[in-house]
Amino acid sequence: ICASHPDVHGAGELSKLRRMANGLGLKYSSDTDVGKSVAAITPELTKTLASEHLAYLRERAPDALRIVDKMPHNFELIGLIGILFSNARIIHCRRDAIDNCISCFVLQFNETHNYSADLETLGLYYREYDRLMRHWNKVLPGRIFENRYETLIEDQEEHSHRLIDYLGLPWDDACLRFFDRDGSVNTYSNWQVRQPIYKSSVKRWRNYEGEIQPLIEALGNLAEVDL
């Protein structure tokens, strides 16, 4: 939807931020080590890193007013994003927790995402993701736009207007016809983004309810089983 706007460039899933975080010592560290690494990010270093990253993005789309990096695991880096880019628009895409996990489970990601290969582990991982997102919303109030999948498909036009408004851009009807957009898509969503919005994936997990109890139990109160 965003990338269909004429002033927006969809850059796909970029690994640049993750490499930057790793270089700062924010990978697989203890709480103490992470605290030291964050404390070492001086105003001068912040300016340098931000300038380098913006230049990297600008090379991809010199004329775009907004550039979208849709790497899913950017949710782990929102703190770093908040430090480096005070004007960044952060869009949090949410979905029914069980549906979301089932989608990850059946896609059979590579070993980097081995948490998704076991239903119980996947449910526990999702709980940690949810906990982290609640933390980011507390420390960065008002900075994160929540884009709920089920809300979007109920009223695509209204929600799309809100999304584009959050980006600070004028409305363009092309955003409603994202499936007509030219260009390659090299992620697992390559089929979905070529289709109009559909509702058949909502509560799809009920088709497998008898086989996914370990996931539902691991999700606990995040599993919306009664809705």
Side-chain angles (χ1 to χ4, degrees):
I1 293 173
C2 296
S4 296
H5 194 286
D7 292 328
V8 178
H9 172 69
E13 299 177 1
L14 303 178
S15 59
K16 175 73 169 175
L17 277 173
R18 172 60 65 186
R19 295 198 302 271
M20 183 188 298
N22 292 347
L24 292 169
L26 301 178
K27 180 181 181 182
Y28 305 131
S29 302
S30 67
D31 291 345
T32 301
D33 291 337
V34 168
K36 291 179 179 178
S37 296
V38 171
I41 304 176
T42 63
E44 293 76 15
L45 181 57
T46 297
K47 185 179 296 185
T48 298
L49 293 175
S51 296
E52 288 179 356
H53 192 71
L54 291 175
Y56 165 80
L57 294 177
R58 188 56 60 203
E59 288 177 359
R60 294 171 170 268
D63 299 322
L65 298 182
R66 303 287 183 269
I67 298 176
V68 179
D69 173 4
K70 65 170 188 170
M71 177 65 80
H73 279 266
N74 280 347
F75 81 88
E76 298 171 338
L77 306 176
I78 290 177
L80 178 61
I81 293 170
I83 291 173
L84 297 181
F85 309 108
S86 59
N87 295 320
R89 270 76 166 184
I90 303 169
I91 300 170
H92 178 208
C93 296
R94 291 199 72 115
R95 185 183 178 188
D96 176 276
I98 310 177
D99 277 338
N100 199 345
C101 289
I102 289 298
S103 180
C104 293
F105 183 73
V106 301
L107 283 174
Q108 298 182 332
F109 293 124
N110 61 36
E111 61 182 15
T112 304
H113 308 283
N114 56 10
Y115 58 85
S116 66
D118 175 80
L119 289 173
E120 181 180 5
T121 303
L122 180 55
L124 295 174
Y125 184 93
Y126 188 95
R127 289 190 66 84
E128 288 302 295
Y129 141 77
D130 180 77
R131 182 177 67 86
L132 183 57
M133 286 308 306
R134 284 186 279 112
H135 168 73
W136 294 137
N137 273 300
K138 287 181 180 178
V139 299
L140 296 170
R143 289 284 308 276
I144 302 173
F145 179 92
E146 182 156 309
N147 186 55
R148 176 81 185 198
Y149 174 73
E150 290 80 6
T151 303
L152 173 64
I153 63 175
E154 282 299 321
D155 194 334
Q156 177 191 355
E157 184 166 358
E158 179 182 348
H159 200 70
S160 297
H161 271 273
R162 289 180 56 217
L163 184 58
I164 299 303
D165 184 63
Y166 171 73
L167 295 179
L169 296 173
W171 174 252
D172 193 287
D173 285 340
C175 297
L176 295 178
R177 298 192 60 81
F178 57 87
F179 45 87
D180 288 336
R181 179 172 169 264
D182 294 330
S184 61
V185 180
N186 300 314
T187 61
Y188 280 101
S189 61
N190 60 347
W191 181 83
Q192 288 93 333
V193 299
R194 300 302 186 199
Q195 313 299 318
I197 283 180
Y198 52 91
K199 299 182 179 181
S200 58
S201 292
V202 176
K203 296 295 182 182
R204 188 180 66 161
W205 64 265
R206 293 196 185 280
N207 296 325
Y208 319 105
E209 188 168 2
E211 290 76 38
I212 61 171
Q213 287 307 305
L215 169 63
I216 293 174
E217 291 173 7
L219 285 171
N221 63 347
L222 298 180
E224 300 173 4
V225 294
D226 298 323
L227 300 181

